[in-house]
Amino acid sequence: MKKTVLYIGRFQPFHLGHLDAIKQILEKENPDTILIAIGSAEDAYEENNPFTAGERFLMIWSALEEAGIPRDKYFITSIRDINNFTLWTKHVKSFLPPFNTVYTGSKIVKDLFEKYEKDIKICDLEQRLNISATIVRTKIKNNEKIDELVLPTVLQILEKINAEQRIKNSIC
């Protein structure tokens, strides 16, 4: 049976911490496939969710290409929220091929899988880099350099979509 692992997050935007998480999963699990699920796919142009699912997909794919992660090791998809914690894990599973392990940085995701999916292993990642998407968005908003937080391809995408203006316009 193939070893398939889920890594789920919002990736608003995809940064070096996310890349490090994927590298940790590859080192620890050596999975056949990492399912990279872009959560809250419907959210965009908001303060905490400024980027579209398509933009986040492009950031992830470009970063993994730049980092030399083989294409056959990952599958990227997006999943909308249903705003129902009781049904959420079943909703996620309905959009993905079978997986037996979940990695996430979200306490809510971890708690929901522990509560509703007893047959799935939930694993923590070591936070080896002090980076969060909130820090990246704040730096973008303040027109500060982020080249030490994201890969060059992600930086190019953020510049192309005018992320600074998008984030400033998203704040109420």
Side-chain angles (χ1 to χ4, degrees):
M1 185 172 140
K2 287 183 82 172
K3 186 173 191 178
T4 305
V5 174
L6 173 63
Y7 177 46
I8 188 166
R10 289 184 305 123
F11 310 110
Q12 288 276 11
F14 189 84
H15 54 71
L16 292 175
H18 294 128
L19 179 60
D20 183 62
I22 290 169
K23 288 179 177 179
Q24 284 183 55
I25 293 167
L26 289 169
E27 292 166 9
K28 290 179 180 183
E29 298 283 338
N30 190 25
D32 295 298
T33 305
I34 300 175
L35 304 171
I36 302 170
I38 300 167
S40 303
E42 74 284 2
D43 293 339
Y45 294 90
E46 300 173 351
E47 183 175 359
N48 293 325
N49 298 295
F51 310 115
T52 67
E55 290 164 343
R56 292 179 274 164
F57 181 102
L58 184 58
M59 288 179 217
I60 296 166
W61 182 81
S62 299
L64 297 180
E65 286 290 304
E66 183 176 341
I69 308 289
R71 288 184 190 174
D72 65 347
K73 287 303 237 179
Y74 62 89
F75 175 81
I76 307 168
T77 191
S78 57
I79 299 176
R80 295 178 55 93
D81 275 341
I82 59 168
N83 298 311
N84 182 326
F85 286 160
T86 306
L87 299 176
W88 184 80
T89 58
K90 302 281 187 245
H91 171 73
V92 169
K93 288 174 66 177
S94 74
F95 282 93
L96 299 170
F99 56 91
N100 45 19
T101 305
V102 173
Y103 282 88
T104 183
S106 166
K107 182 174 178 358
I108 292 171
V109 169
K110 183 178 177 179
D111 289 349
L112 291 175
F113 271 99
E114 286 175 346
K115 182 173 183 176
Y116 296 111
E117 302 298 331
K118 303 293 186 199
D119 59 330
I120 293 180
K121 181 172 118 182
I122 296 91
C123 295
D124 291 319
L125 293 161
E126 181 184 347
Q127 189 169 358
R128 301 187 290 203
L129 303 173
N130 189 24
I131 301 173
S132 72
T134 302
I135 291 169
V136 176
R137 290 192 307 271
T138 300
K139 285 185 173 282
I140 292 171
K141 180 182 82 173
N142 295 330
N143 198 24
E144 297 175 32
K145 289 181 67 161
I146 60 165
D147 54 341
E148 72 282 358
L149 305 176
V150 300
L151 274 80
T153 54
V154 172
L155 186 59
Q156 290 172 355
I157 293 165
L158 291 169
E159 288 171 351
K160 184 175 182 180
I161 65 172
N162 197 1
E164 180 185 351
Q165 197 59 47
R166 168 97 52 95
I167 290 170
K168 286 180 179 179
N169 288 344
S170 298
I171 299 172
C172 301

